[in-house]
Amino acid sequence: MEQINTSIMLETDRLRILALFPERFSFLCEDYLRFEAVMGLYPSGYPGFWTEDIRQVMSQLCKQAREYTDHYYWYTNWLIVLKEENKAIGSACFKGEPDEQGEVEIGYGTYPDYQNRGYMTEAVAALCQWALTRERVTAVLAATDPENVPSCKVLEKNGFTRYQGPGDFLFWWRYQ
């Protein structure tokens, strides 16, 4: 069985966070179950976790990751693997390269059986730490649905502060 092949891997006490090469990201979008097998991971049981909206966003990011191969990590899926089980438990992504102000936006999701255990708090901390060491990055942004209390708590625990962002229906957060 083929082992994990990635140029960037972040590690925390409990997690491996893998920035997938564009080809791997494409494969993940096309056949999630086979992707897990090829990556040498135990099946997560959550190929349906991606809603149609998430699938569309991931498809667009995948195209951009293939287009901007030198900076693919700003567009790719960062797979979150629980070391103890060698199983994908969620994913995260940056939504493009730093803008003119040096800001990048992060998005993330945890599979249902692994929510409320601090895994995403741990993953977001590692990803923010990594991002803020990159050239031109001055802040990491996030947007949450006001009713998504667990996501808001992830950001609060990581030191994000709320600010008035675009639109009235989302909470916007900044970490510097």
Side-chain angles (χ1 to χ4, degrees):
M1 191 172 288
E2 189 173 332
Q3 293 303 306
I4 293 170
N5 183 11
T6 182
S7 66
I8 302 172
M9 180 173 70
L10 308 178
E11 284 202 61
T12 68
D13 289 342
R14 302 181 295 169
L15 306 172
R16 286 191 322 261
I17 306 160
L18 314 167
L20 300 176
F21 284 130
E23 302 78 29
R24 296 285 178 171
F25 187 20
S26 295
F27 191 33
L28 173 119
C29 292
E30 293 165 10
D31 190 342
Y32 190 90
L33 292 174
R34 189 154 180 264
F35 167 82
E36 287 181 320
V38 167
M39 293 290 285
L41 300 171
Y42 287 105
S44 66
Y46 291 106
F49 177 73
W50 287 11
T51 63
E52 188 55 37
D53 288 344
I54 292 172
R55 199 174 304 282
Q56 287 177 6
V57 168
M58 289 297 151
S59 176
Q60 180 61 35
L61 284 173
C62 191
K63 288 177 191 172
Q64 291 173 314
R66 285 192 307 259
E67 184 177 342
Y68 302 109
T69 55
D70 289 345
H71 304 284
Y72 74 94
Y73 40 83
W74 296 120
Y75 303 97
T76 196
N77 182 289
W78 290 71
L79 192 68
I80 301 168
V81 176
L82 182 60
K83 290 179 186 178
E84 179 180 83
E85 297 180 16
N86 193 37
K87 184 184 289 187
I89 62 166
S91 64
C93 67
F94 293 100
K95 299 179 181 179
E97 295 184 52
D99 64 14
E100 300 79 34
Q101 292 79 37
E103 298 172 334
V104 293
E105 186 179 346
I106 192 171
Y108 50 85
T110 311
Y111 299 159
D113 287 351
Y114 295 90
Q115 294 175 350
N116 300 311
R117 298 186 192 184
Y119 297 129
M120 193 53 69
T121 299
E122 196 172 316
V124 167
L127 286 161
C128 288
Q129 187 176 37
W130 176 86
L132 288 171
T133 65
R134 302 300 103 191
E135 188 177 327
R136 296 186 5 225
V137 177
T138 60
V140 179
L141 308 180
T144 60
D145 182 318
E147 294 181 15
N148 189 344
V149 175
S151 187
C152 293
K153 285 185 178 183
V154 164
L155 299 172
E156 287 171 350
K157 288 177 183 177
N158 276 299
F160 279 75
T161 54
R162 253 184 68 203
Y163 71 97
Q164 184 62 43
D168 296 329
F169 58 94
L170 293 174
F171 284 168
W172 282 90
W173 303 82
R174 175 180 281 112
Y175 178 82
Q176 295 176 280

